[in-house]
Amino acid sequence: MATNGQSAEHRELALIGKVELRIALTDSDAKLESTLKTYLAPLLLKLASEHQSVRTKVMSICQHVNTRVKPDSVQLPVAALIKQFKEQQSSLIRHFDLLYIQQGVDRLSASQRAELLPVVIQGIADSGTHGATIFNLLLRLLETFRLPPRGDREDVELRRKYNVRDEDAAYLAKWIGKFILFAPVKPPTQSCPGLTPEDYMFITAQSKPDVFNPAQAGLNLPPRLMASGFFNDHERFLPALYASADTSSLISDVGEDMMKRTLPMTDLEDETLLHQLFTLYFGDGEAMRVRPRLRIKILGLLGRSQHSTTFSTKIMTLVEDGVAPPDAGGEDSVMSGVAAE
């Protein structure tokens, strides 16, 4: 058994040694690019080897690759790496896949980046601990993806065309909604109204460099994606509500348009939804309550629901909150928020 294990280890080392030699012998960026297109993804699979010597050798080769791919002229096999990321469960393989995906995505042409957006959406709910990085990657790809005119046949067929699962759409709707609520704050604070510190860190991808900057890429891109045929009315309702209360007209205009379409299809007597609205209004645990503009929108929705009146304790608290002056900590009531605006 030891001999068999040793020979298996030697075979793996010999195989990756050949890959290392091929990479080392490339004498131009074009040849390096071609070699990496063929061998980089399979090489990273060897990070799951049961042999420490093999894993160490692969990481050594990766250090050499990192040096060689510093010039932006070297394209990386991003599509193959994304596919591999989705198929693998090894955290080490996924980690290295993501390193090269993030490095290579901005080197792709606009059309190549646009082709990757549906690929990233598929299976995004299974991103696990890498969810923040994958979500941020999706935001970076949004700028290049052409969304069809709302309501036309191509828009209606988006979800079916790209095989978007219900769990992926729900996952995206949740995080796009939180992204719309997001507002950057000065360190060391790591939370904002409507978000927990954990949510805040997710949106900022743990404060890593190269995170999506909406001010540069387009404030209304995430809400516009939410308005597309990738989502149904149930999934887009809360993100639409958040967007409709945004202070930027670029976002609120998209949100108001979505609300006109989703509100008639939304059951305001649904107890789960009512709990969500009350939680947003009052806050919950580490999540501060949402800003006054959104609380006013929520009040309007609660006023249209008969079932909301059965939440007697919360209704009484709403009344008290509506006439309360700002407290010493600067927390505003809804009415004081209206006055301030």
Side-chain angles (χ1 to χ4, degrees):
M1 293 297 292
T3 302
N4 290 337
Q6 188 179 44
S7 62
E9 180 179 1
H10 286 166
R11 284 197 300 271
E12 285 192 83
L13 287 170
L15 181 62
I16 60 176
K18 292 177 181 178
V19 174
E20 180 181 31
L21 182 61
R22 284 180 178 271
I23 294 172
L25 290 177
T26 57
D27 56 5
S28 69
D29 287 351
K31 290 180 181 178
L32 175 63
E33 183 179 313
S34 177
T35 301
L36 292 178
K37 183 177 181 180
T38 303
Y39 294 107
L40 181 58
L43 173 68
L44 297 180
L45 287 177
K46 289 300 180 181
L47 289 167
S49 171
E50 62 179 297
H51 305 293
Q52 178 64 44
S53 60
V54 175
R55 299 194 298 272
T56 301
K57 184 63 176 176
V58 172
M59 285 189 272
S60 174
I61 296 172
C62 286
Q63 290 178 341
H64 172 71
V65 169
N66 293 345
T67 303
R68 295 287 305 277
V69 300
K70 284 183 178 179
D72 289 344
S73 57
V74 180
Q75 296 267 6
L76 295 169
V78 176
L81 291 168
I82 290 176
K83 182 175 183 294
Q84 180 166 281
F85 173 88
K86 292 177 177 295
E87 294 173 347
Q88 296 299 315
Q89 295 303 313
S90 165
S91 59
L92 191 57
I93 293 175
R94 284 185 146 200
H95 173 75
F96 276 85
D97 282 339
L98 279 179
L99 286 178
Y100 292 115
I101 289 168
Q102 290 179 288
Q103 188 173 5
V105 69
D106 290 330
R107 302 179 184 185
L108 300 175
S109 66
S111 61
Q112 289 173 319
R113 293 201 303 274
E115 291 173 357
L116 290 177
L117 181 71
V119 179
V120 172
I121 290 177
Q122 294 166 2
I124 195 169
D126 301 324
S127 299
T129 57
H130 299 287
T133 304
I134 292 295
F135 180 71
N136 193 265
L137 173 64
L138 179 139
L139 295 176
R140 290 165 63 190
L141 295 171
L142 266 180
E143 186 178 12
T144 58
F145 188 79
R146 186 192 69 82
L147 288 168
R150 182 179 59 80
D152 76 0
R153 183 173 180 178
E154 187 181 357
D155 177 57
V156 173
E157 293 291 319
L158 274 176
R159 187 167 180 143
R160 183 192 62 80
K161 177 181 178 181
Y162 292 113
N163 299 313
V164 177
R165 304 178 306 173
D166 290 348
E167 53 265 46
D168 294 328
Y171 180 92
L172 264 185
K174 168 189 171 181
W175 285 109
I176 289 177
K178 291 180 182 292
F179 181 84
I180 293 170
L181 290 175
F182 170 76
V185 293
K186 294 181 179 180
T189 304
Q190 290 187 327
S191 63
C192 62
L195 301 185
T196 66
E198 184 179 17
D199 294 336
Y200 191 93
M201 290 295 287
F202 184 102
I203 296 298
T204 58
Q206 287 78 46
S207 302
K208 292 177 182 176
D210 300 323
V211 296
F212 175 77
N213 186 339
Q216 295 177 358
L219 284 169
N220 65 351
L221 288 178
R224 283 182 57 225
L225 178 66
M226 204 67 241
S228 75
F230 278 118
F231 302 93
N232 59 40
D233 287 329
H234 173 73
E235 292 155 351
R236 67 168 64 97
F237 177 72
L238 286 178
L241 174 63
Y242 305 158
S244 71
D246 200 89
T247 55
S248 168
S249 62
L250 289 173
I251 297 174
S252 62
D253 287 351
V254 178
E256 290 286 3
D257 184 64
M258 280 195 284
M259 285 297 289
K260 289 176 184 177
R261 293 183 288 129
T262 60
L263 187 53
M265 308 300 294
T266 301
D267 180 10
L268 294 179
E269 308 304 325
D270 179 75
E271 186 147 341
T272 299
L273 176 60
L274 291 173
H275 274 295
Q276 289 177 304
L277 294 176
F278 278 120
T279 297
L280 288 165
Y281 187 97
F282 290 114
D284 181 41
E286 293 185 304
M288 295 185 286
R289 64 181 187 165
V290 295
R291 292 182 177 82
R293 288 173 67 100
L294 181 49
R295 298 208 299 274
I296 293 168
K297 295 275 188 180
I298 292 172
L299 280 177
L301 294 174
L302 293 174
R304 298 172 64 169
S305 168
Q306 290 186 346
H307 188 46
S308 70
T309 60
T310 65
F311 294 75
S312 54
T313 302
K314 293 186 182 298
I315 293 297
M316 288 301 298
T317 308
L318 276 176
V319 173
E320 295 169 0
D321 180 75
V323 296
D327 64 26
E331 173 60 26
D332 51 352
S333 70
V334 167
M335 299 308 293
S336 64
V338 172
E341 294 177 4

